[in-house]
């Protein structure tokens, strides 16, 4: 097998500085349609560009009092918003889509500066964000409930679908704008209002969004409080006037939210971590599978809950597949977002995360695993890690079962289909998986046996707004995207009318 030397990778760096400062949003909390100062001033969180390590700006570290003010606005606004027709709500969602589209360049620049992601990834995020709002605008107008009917003599039943009320939303740093859209669009479409906390590391695209929406959508239906999970997120999870809290983030944060929410018997919607297996059968198109992992394992620098990060390949084709994979991964171009269109992979989001990924690589080395490609941090400014492939990984190795959330793909082998399914399912996560085969029987049988919320066949990380996204087991519960998200953010009410004598 070819070992590609780590010298292959260099960081492409931008000449000059990014043009983000001219388009930065205000940095207060956004409550009832305008930016307001924090209740406690002077508590600030620095927002860092992970490609340059420069501080872009600072945002408010919100408090419980800030959340309470936002919830009060959301409660008031929801009374009117919840009574609007699907068409009126769809008009607002289409307006949001149009505003994002008209300002897409600003969103791409802000998202790239705040996350370090290549411009192509930011462009894809913005395109998907616009489509999420457009899809939910249309979908909300088609939503129906079970038909009414006569189920008791002289009684007619009607099933109503209602908003749940005020929804608390907590988003992560990997796709700040897109993850916000996945929540905002269905939650507003279903007639709820929102108090949202973006990740303290990446609040800028969310603040830009509300800056552009101010005065153009009803005041108070979308409020944003910036700050830490342990304060702002905690208050959202416990607030008595919040009916449901939706979080996309790590398992630990999901557990904290669910535990707190239990005290007020709040509904919880959790999109948590993942460790997606990629099961490659001997009859698969091995080159296509390797190209698929190149894209889906290293997209957003592997900082993706659905990343194709754990290959299980049949032992008879392992060497050939790994050769293709090494060639594919060895050709990835690493760099800062402003360093040109060729850049495919950016840095880790922060220094602590960079250190965690380095630690996982050091553990792999000390466990005697083979680093076929990459395996190290890249020199210089920014939190860059080489695209990495680790082979010879034994069953149950921690590196193959725990989320690394970086550009690291591990390769294990299997000998029977039964073993491949069992090993793939031996994971605390259940978000997504892929199966690579040309056998029509395997392409249906194996996905049915895999315990994951999404299973792709001969593809990985292909998403569409029409189909649900969400996990099983440790990856949480609740569904983003599709009509299922609208279901999650509404409630049904049975009205039974006695029309007997
Ligand atoms: P994180 O859990 O550290 O943070 C996510 C959000 O939760 C942040 O806004 C954070 O401030 C908040 N938070 C943290 N502790 C909290 C608490 N005790 N109470 C309330 N809120 C709290 O996650 P992250 O590092 O920002 O994102 C990476 C994680 O997100 C990964 O595990 C990834 O797999 C997961 N993720 C999942 C999906 C999905 O669709 N399933 C999508 C994207 C990311």
């Amino acid at each position: 097998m070819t070992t590609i030397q780590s010298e292959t990778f260099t960081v492409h760096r931008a000449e000059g500085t990014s043009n983000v400062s001219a388009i930065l949003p205000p940095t207060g909390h956004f409550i009832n349609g305008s930016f307001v100062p924090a209740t406690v001033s002077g508590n600030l969180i620095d927002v860092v560009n992970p490609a340059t390590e420069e501080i872009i700006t600072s945002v408010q570290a919100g408090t419980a009092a800030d959340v309470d003010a936002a919830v009060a606005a959301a409660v008031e606004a929801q009374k009117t918003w919840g009574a609007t027709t699907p068409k009126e709500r769809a008009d607002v969602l289409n307006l949001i889509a149009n505003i994002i589209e008209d300002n897409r360049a600003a969103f791409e620049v802000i998202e790239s500066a705040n996350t370090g992601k290549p411009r192509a990834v930011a462009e894809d995020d913005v395109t998907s964000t616009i489509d999420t709002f457009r899809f939910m605008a249309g979908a909300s107008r088609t939503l129906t409930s079970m038909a009414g009917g006569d189920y008791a003599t002289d009684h007619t039943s009607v099933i109503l679908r209602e908003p749940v009320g005020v929804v608390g939303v907590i988003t992560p740093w990997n796709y700040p704008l897109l993850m916000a859209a996945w929540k905002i669009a269905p939650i507003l479409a279903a007639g709820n209002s929102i108090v949202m906390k973006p990740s303290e590391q990446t609040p800028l695209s969310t603040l830009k969004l509300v800056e552009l929406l101010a005065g153009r959508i009803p005041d108070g239906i979308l409020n944003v409080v910036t700050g830490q999970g342990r304060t702002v997120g905690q208050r959202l999870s416990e607030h008595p006037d919040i009916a449901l809290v939706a979080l996309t983030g790590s398992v630990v944060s999901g557990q904290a939210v669910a535990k707190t929410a239990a005290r007020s018997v709040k509904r919880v919607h959790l999109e948590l971590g993942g460790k997606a297996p990629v099961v490659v059968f001997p009859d698969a198109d091995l080159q296509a599978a390797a190209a698929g992992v190149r894209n889906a394992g290293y997209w957003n620098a592997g900082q993706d809950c659905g990343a194709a990060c754990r290959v299980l390949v049949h032992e008879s084709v392992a060497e050939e597949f790994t050769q293709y994979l090494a060639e594919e991964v060895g050709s990835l171009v690493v760099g800062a977002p402003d360093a040109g269109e060729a850049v495919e992979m950016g840095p880790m989001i922060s220094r602590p995360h960079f250190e965690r990924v380095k630690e996982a690589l050091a553990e792999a080395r000390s466990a005697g695993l083979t680093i076929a490609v990459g395996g190290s941090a890249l020199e210089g400014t920014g939190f860059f890690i080489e695209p990495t492939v680790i082979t010879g990984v034994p069953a149950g190795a921690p590196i193959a079962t725990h989320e690394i959330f970086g550009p690291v793909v591990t390769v294990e082998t299997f000998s029977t289909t039964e073993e491949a399914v069992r090993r793939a399912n031996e994971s605390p996560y259940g978000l997504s998986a892929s199966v690579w085969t040309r056998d029509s029987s395997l392409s249906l049988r194996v996905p049915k046996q895999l315990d994951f919320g999404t299973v792709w066949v001969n593809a990985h990380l292909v998403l569409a707004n029409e189909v649900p996204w969400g996990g099983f087991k440790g990856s949480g519960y609740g569904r983003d995207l599709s009509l299922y998200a609208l279901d999650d953010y509404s409630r049904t009410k049975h009205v039974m009318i006695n029309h007997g004598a």
Side-chain angles (χ1 to χ4, degrees), residues 258-343:
K259 197 170 165 197
T260 306
R263 280 188 232 133
S264 53
V265 200
K266 217 183 272 331
R267 278 167 66 173
V268 178
H269 186 282
L270 299 175
E271 295 289 357
L272 308 178
K275 184 83 183 177
V278 177
V279 184
V280 183
F281 285 100
D283 69 304
D285 178 338
L286 299 180
Q287 280 176 301
V293 173
R294 179 195 200 272
N295 181 51
Y298 301 87
W299 184 258
N300 212 35
Q303 300 170 119
D304 189 305
C305 48
C309 55
R310 180 192 173 200
V311 173
L312 281 151
V313 57
H314 191 269
E315 59 192 4
S316 65
V317 292
E319 194 172 335
E320 189 185 351
F321 170 80
T322 310
Q323 175 76 41
Y324 290 138
L325 183 62
E327 284 164 13
E328 287 282 357
V329 176
S331 69
L332 279 162
V333 179
V334 181
D338 295 333
E341 285 181 9
V343 173

Side-chain angles (χ1 to χ4, degrees), residues 106-383:
F107 283 108
E108 288 162 12
V109 168
I110 287 175
E111 204 74 321
S112 283
N114 199 170
T115 61
K117 63 176 68 188
R119 200 49 57 76
V121 179
E123 283 169 16
D124 188 72
D125 288 1
V126 176
T127 300
S128 302
T129 295
I130 295 165
D131 194 49
T132 298
F133 281 103
R134 295 223 165 106
F135 171 79
M136 287 298 170
S140 64
R141 298 183 70 177
T142 67
L143 203 59
T144 54
S145 302
M146 185 184 137
D150 292 358
Y151 303 106
T153 306
D154 291 339
H155 290 70
T156 296
S157 290
V158 178
I159 310 295
L160 301 179
R161 185 185 289 271
E162 300 182 340
V164 294
V166 179
V167 178
V169 171
I170 302 169
T171 52
W173 47 258
N174 58 345
Y175 297 99
L177 181 68
L178 186 60
M179 293 302 100
W182 283 17
K183 305 298 186 208
I184 295 170
I187 293 171
L188 290 185
N192 309 285
S193 60
I194 297 172
V195 179
M196 179 171 168
K197 187 200 92 61
S199 167
E200 59 278 17
Q201 299 179 75
T202 55
L204 300 182
S205 53
T206 303
L207 292 171
K208 189 70 190 175
L209 177 64
V210 290
E211 178 195 18
L212 293 167
L213 298 183
R216 302 175 75 180
I217 66 170
D219 291 347
I221 62 169
L222 175 58
N223 306 277
V224 176
V225 178
T226 54
Q228 302 287 355
R230 62 181 176 273
T231 45
V232 177
Q234 166 74 18
R235 184 63 184 150
L236 289 173
S237 312
E238 69 191 10
H239 199 293
D241 293 338
I242 289 185
L244 184 157
V245 60
L247 170 130
T248 297
S250 63
V251 175
V252 172
S253 304
Q255 287 166 330
V257 165
K259 197 170 165 197
T260 306
R263 280 188 232 133
S264 53
V265 200
K266 217 183 272 331
R267 278 167 66 173
V268 178
H269 186 282
L270 299 175
E271 295 289 357
L272 308 178
K275 184 83 183 177
V278 177
V279 184
V280 183
F281 285 100
D283 69 304
D285 178 338
L286 299 180
Q287 280 176 301
V293 173
R294 179 195 200 272
N295 181 51
Y298 301 87
W299 184 258
N300 212 35
Q303 300 170 119
D304 189 305
C305 48
C309 55
R310 180 192 173 200
V311 173
L312 281 151
V313 57
H314 191 269
E315 59 192 4
S316 65
V317 292
E319 194 172 335
E320 189 185 351
F321 170 80
T322 310
Q323 175 76 41
Y324 290 138
L325 183 62
E327 284 164 13
E328 287 282 357
V329 176
S331 69
L332 279 162
V333 179
V334 181
D338 295 333
E341 285 181 9
V343 173
E344 297 172 282
M345 210 190 91
M348 301 294 91
I349 189 67
S350 64
R351 180 162 293 283
H353 187 51
F354 174 68
E355 296 299 336
R356 273 196 298 273
V357 176
K358 283 201 313 189
E359 211 171 293
L361 294 174
E363 278 168 22
R365 246 195 213 96
S366 60
L369 304 180
T370 306
I371 312 281
V373 182
S376 305
L378 283 153
E379 294 287 311
T381 311
F383 310 128

Side-chain angles (χ1 to χ4, degrees), residues 11-33:
V11 179
H12 293 242
R13 297 186 189 277
E15 284 170 19
T17 52
S18 129
N19 49 355
V20 72
S21 50
I23 52 170
L24 286 177
T27 54
H29 304 308
F30 185 79
I31 298 178
N32 207 22

Side-chain angles (χ1 to χ4, degrees), residues 44-60:
L44 297 176
I45 302 169
D46 288 340
V47 180
V48 176
N49 178 331
T52 62
E53 301 185 44
E54 288 163 357
I55 296 173
I56 304 170
T57 183
S58 304
V59 297
Q60 299 293 334

